Amino acid sequence: MDEKPSTRKSPEFCSLRYGLAFIMHFSNFTMITQRVSLSIAIIAMVNSTQQPGLLNTSTERPLAFTFNHSNRSIREVNTAEVSVYEWSPETQGIIFSSINYGIILTLIPSGYLAGIFGAKQMLGAGLLISSLLTLFTPLTADFGVILVIVIRTVQGMAQGMAWTGQFTIWAKWAPPLERSKLTSIAGSGASFGSFIILCVGGLISQALGWPFIFYIFGSIGCVCCLLWFTVIYDDPLHHPCISIREKEHIVSSLAQQSSSPRRSVPIKSMVRCLPLWAIFTGFFSHFWLCTIIITYLPTYISSVLRVNIRDSGVLSSLPFIAAASCTILGGQLADFLLSRNLLRLITVRKLFSSLGLLLPSLCAVALPFVASSYTTTIILLILIPGTSNLCDSGFIINTLDVAPRYASFLMGISRGFGLIAGIISSTATGFLISQDSVSGWRNVFFLAAAVNMFGLVFYLTFGQAEIQHWAKERTLTRL
C-alpha cells in the first residue's frame, strides 16, 4: 500500500491488545476442543467389535472394518457402563459435518449484527451455548443419532456466532502493522486446542471413559466464558484499564479507516469485487483439506497405521502443535517484512497464501505413496496442518486490508465458503473410504490437492490488499 500507517510504538506483549489476543487464543482453544472432542471419542463410541470388557481400550483392527452399515444406534454396557453405537462411516460423516451446517446458518447474520451491536456479547453467548451443549453430548447420544446431529448443528450455530465476531473486535483493536501478529496469536488457539484434545482425549477415554472428554472440555469452556465477559471490551475507547498511550497508539494507527456506523451493506459492489471472490475461493480451498485433517486424522492413523486409541490420539495431536507454532511464527514474519518495508502488503499476503496452499498439497499427494513407512507418514501428517496455517498471514486476514469496516461481515461470508467446503469434504471422505480404504484415502488426498491448487491460482490472479472504493464510502447503497 502506498500510505503506511503510523508506526509509533507502545509496549507490546504487556499491552492490553496482546492480552486480548491471548484471551481470544483461549476462546478459540476452547471452541476447537469442543468441536474435535467427537473425532477422538467416536473411535471408542463405535468400536462395537470389541468384547464388552475391552471397550474404550486399544484395538489394532482398522476402523473401516469395525463399522457396521446401520444408521440406528444400539447400546451395550461394559464394566464402566459406557455406551457403544452402530454408526456407519457415512453416518459419521454426516455427524461430523452437521456442526458446519450450524455454523453456516449464523456466520453471515452474526457477522453483520456484531458490527452493529458489538461483538463481546455475541461471542460470549456463543461460547457459553457451545460449552453447555458439549456437556450434554454424551446424554444425547443415548437417544439416537438424529438428536446428536441436531445438538451438533445447534452447537455449530453457537460457534458461528463466536468465530465471526472476532474480526469486528480486531478491526477496532489491531493496528495495521500488528494485524498478522495479533490475529495469529488468537488464531493459533485453534491449532493448540486440536493438539491438546487429540493428545489427551485418548488418555481420558481409556482412564475415565469417552463421556469425560465432553465433560472436561465443556467445563473449561464455561470457565473461559467467565473470563471473556469480565475482561473483554468491544473497542479500546471504552476499556477502563487501557493506558492512554496505548489507546492513542491504536486510535491514531486506525485513523485512516472509516469508523462511521453503518446499517446497510453494499452487496452489489461486493458481489462484483473479484478480490473478495479471491478471498472466498482461498477459504474454500483451505478449509477443504483442513476439515479432513481435523475430522478424520484419528481415523486415518488408526486404520492406516493400525494403532490403538491412546496412541492414535497422541499421534493425531502432533500436527497441531506444529500448526500452532507455524501460525505464530508466520504472523511474526509477515509483520516483520511489512514493518521493515521489505515487501509490499499484497506480496506478503500472496506469499503466505502460496506457501499455505501449495506445501500441504504436496504433502497430501505424497501420503498414499508412503503409507508403508510409519515415520514418513507421521512427518507428512505433521507438515500438512503446519504449513497450511501459513495462510493465516495470507488471505485469512485479507478482509481487514480490503474492507476493514465490513471485516466481520465478510469474515462470516468467507468462513461460510470454508464451511461449505468442510461439509462437502467430510461427507465425501466418509463415502470414499467406505467404498475401499486404500483407494478411498488416495482419492481423498488427490481431490484435496486439486481443490487447493484451484484456490491458489485464483487468489494469485485476483487477490488485492488495497481498501476497495465501496469500503471507503460513507453514503452507502441500501441492501
Side-chain angles (χ1 to χ4, degrees):
M1 296 176 66
D2 294 331
E3 293 184 76
K4 294 291 179 184
S6 169
T7 58
R8 185 155 56 94
K9 299 289 183 181
S10 69
E12 291 199 353
F13 287 101
C14 60
S15 65
L16 251 178
R17 62 188 182 277
Y18 279 86
L20 171 63
F22 284 109
I23 293 175
M24 206 171 289
H25 172 99
F26 185 35
S27 301
N28 288 330
F29 166 92
T30 300
M31 286 189 288
I32 202 67
T33 55
Q34 294 170 0
R35 181 177 179 179
V36 180
S37 291
L38 187 62
S39 294
I40 193 71
I42 204 167
I43 298 176
M45 293 171 72
V46 302
N47 194 11
S48 59
T49 59
Q50 294 183 11
Q51 298 299 320
L54 297 177
L55 292 175
N56 273 341
T57 58
S58 66
T59 174
E60 301 299 328
R61 293 190 64 185
L63 291 183
F65 295 102
T66 67
F67 297 145
N68 293 320
H69 294 276
S70 172
N71 289 331
R72 65 183 183 88
S73 64
I74 64 172
R75 182 173 182 179
E76 298 177 8
V77 182
N78 66 348
T79 56
E81 297 186 354
V82 178
S83 302
V84 175
Y85 310 93
E86 287 189 346
W87 295 340
S88 68
E90 293 91 342
T91 300
Q92 293 174 52
I94 295 173
I95 294 173
F96 286 144
S97 62
S98 61
I99 195 169
N100 292 332
Y101 290 108
I103 295 176
I104 286 176
L105 292 176
T106 54
L107 274 178
I108 296 177
S110 63
Y112 179 70
L113 294 175
I116 296 177
F117 300 110
K120 174 182 177 178
Q121 303 301 327
M122 190 162 296
L123 266 77
L127 182 58
L128 178 60
I129 294 171
S130 177
S131 300
L132 294 176
L133 291 176
T134 300
L135 292 172
F136 284 103
T137 298
L139 178 63
T140 61
D142 287 341
F143 289 92
V145 67
I146 299 299
L147 187 57
V148 173
I149 293 173
V150 171
I151 289 295
R152 293 280 288 181
T153 302
V154 176
Q155 186 177 23
M157 295 173 67
Q159 291 202 1
M161 294 165 55
W163 285 118
T164 309
Q166 295 184 26
F167 272 62
T168 297
I169 292 180
W170 286 130
K172 298 177 181 179
W173 277 91
L177 293 183
E178 298 177 28
R179 282 173 179 165
S180 296
K181 291 180 187 177
L182 292 168
T183 57
S184 65
I185 291 172
S188 64
S191 298
F192 186 63
S194 298
F195 165 74
I196 293 298
I197 180 62
L198 291 171
C199 185
V200 305
L203 301 177
I204 293 173
S205 179
Q206 280 196 320
L208 303 174
W210 62 262
F212 280 87
I213 300 176
F214 299 98
Y215 299 151
I216 290 173
F217 290 100
S219 300
I220 291 175
C222 293
V223 173
C224 182
C225 289
L226 179 62
L227 182 63
W228 179 270
F229 284 117
T230 304
V231 178
I232 299 299
Y233 282 75
D234 286 318
D235 60 67
L237 295 176
H238 297 92
H239 203 293
C241 301
I242 191 171
S243 67
I244 296 177
R245 182 180 179 184
E246 183 180 6
K247 183 189 296 185
E248 291 178 348
H249 169 65
I250 295 173
V251 171
S252 63
S253 66
L254 298 176
Q256 297 178 21
Q257 291 184 185
S258 174
S259 58
S260 60
R262 80 281 197 289
R263 294 294 184 271
S264 59
V265 179
I267 296 294
K268 291 182 179 179
S269 298
M270 290 180 177
V271 171
R272 292 193 296 261
C273 183
L274 281 176
L276 280 185
W277 284 104
I279 296 173
F280 300 155
T281 306
F283 267 84
F284 186 91
S285 303
H286 175 69
F287 271 66
W288 184 287
L289 181 56
C290 286
T291 302
I292 293 173
I293 295 298
I294 291 175
T295 305
Y296 281 96
L297 187 56
T299 301
Y300 181 79
I301 290 178
S302 295
S303 61
V304 175
L305 300 182
R306 305 194 178 199
V307 298
N308 58 44
I309 184 174
R310 179 193 62 202
D311 293 340
S312 173
V314 173
L315 291 174
S316 298
S317 70
L318 295 179
F320 296 100
I321 193 63
S325 301
C326 286
T327 299
I328 296 175
L329 292 176
Q332 297 289 324
L333 178 58
D335 281 347
F336 172 79
L337 294 173
L338 290 173
S339 63
R340 298 300 178 89
N341 293 321
L342 298 177
L343 293 175
R344 297 168 57 238
L345 180 58
I346 185 58
T347 305
V348 170
R349 296 290 181 249
K350 290 187 175 182
L351 171 63
F352 282 87
S353 298
S354 299
L355 294 174
L357 290 175
L358 178 60
L359 296 180
S361 298
L362 295 176
C363 294
V365 169
L367 267 176
F369 301 102
V370 298
S372 60
S373 173
Y374 182 94
T375 302
T376 306
T377 299
I378 294 299
I379 290 174
L380 291 178
L381 289 174
I382 291 174
L383 288 176
I384 289 176
T387 55
S388 182
N389 274 27
L390 293 174
C391 288
D392 283 18
S393 296
F395 57 79
I396 297 292
I397 62 170
N398 202 187
T399 53
L400 286 172
D401 303 320
V402 300
R405 64 184 283 130
Y406 300 109
S408 183
F409 177 75
L410 293 174
M411 177 53 63
I413 298 177
S414 300
R415 285 192 175 273
F417 275 89
L419 291 166
I420 290 173
I423 291 172
I424 298 173
S425 64
S426 292
T427 307
T429 299
F431 173 77
L432 290 173
I433 64 177
S434 69
Q435 304 302 307
D436 180 82
S437 181
V438 176
S439 64
W441 282 116
R442 182 177 64 247
N443 293 334
V444 165
F445 291 126
F446 282 6
L447 180 58
V451 172
N452 267 14
M453 289 301 95
F454 172 77
L456 175 58
V457 172
F458 197 92
Y459 184 77
L460 291 178
T461 304
F462 299 107
Q464 293 183 16
E466 295 80 12
I467 297 180
Q468 302 299 296
H469 67 89
W470 44 265
K472 297 178 181 178
E473 299 173 356
R474 291 181 179 272
T475 303
L476 301 171
T477 304
R478 291 186 177 273
L479 275 169

